[in-house]
Amino acid sequence: PQFNLNWWAPTQKEWAPVLLKDQKPFWADEREPGTGRPWEKRVPPTGDWPILKKTGVMQNTAEIVPRNDGFMVNTTSYGGFNQFGTSKMVARPWMGIPDTSLEKLSGIAWKHILS
């Protein structure tokens, strides 16, 4: 078989929306997309609203953009603080590669490699 050596760019473009869609169930369940672990609670508690969804702006504006050999996440200015934490705030990773995505991603990659 002949392989498409230029498979990466079209694969990235097709992966980005799949990855973004697969994050949403984890956000709703307040779990890390990459591991499935529950997010740590904020200290002190922040009230009755879910940990990362007082307004929904961070999650509703998030986009995964292909960039060079990987991806970049565009969102609010505070998205990175939630993902990685700070000296005064625990990390609550809200972006990752869920196991649910892996089967889809490999199929997309092979489709472009073999095209």
Side-chain angles (χ1 to χ4, degrees):
Q2 192 166 0
F3 298 110
N4 176 9
L5 300 178
N6 298 312
W7 65 275
W8 180 236
T11 298
Q12 277 182 299
K13 287 178 185 168
E14 198 169 337
W15 276 5
V18 169
L19 285 168
L20 188 60
K21 180 181 178 208
D22 286 354
Q23 309 297 311
K24 294 182 182 192
F26 290 89
W27 297 345
D29 293 342
E30 299 182 4
R31 295 181 295 127
E32 296 181 24
T35 65
R37 286 188 299 242
W39 290 330
E40 290 191 40
K41 300 294 181 194
R42 287 185 188 237
V43 178
T46 53
D48 295 334
W49 48 276
I51 295 171
L52 290 180
K53 196 161 183 173
K54 183 174 185 180
T55 65
V57 172
M58 182 175 70
Q59 295 160 343
N60 294 337
T61 62
E63 79 177 318
I64 297 175
V65 181
R67 183 173 181 184
N68 301 323
D69 287 339
F71 297 90
M72 179 176 71
V73 176
N74 289 332
T75 188
T76 61
S77 60
Y78 50 87
F81 300 131
N82 284 286
Q83 179 76 17
F84 302 109
T86 69
S87 62
K88 296 183 180 186
M89 184 174 88
V90 296
R92 285 172 298 283
W94 59 286
M95 295 296 278
I97 301 176
D99 287 345
T100 54
S101 298
L102 293 177
E103 190 173 308
K104 298 173 201 171
L105 299 180
S106 62
I108 292 168
W110 277 112
K111 176 179 77 174
H112 291 288
I113 290 169
L114 298 174
S115 66

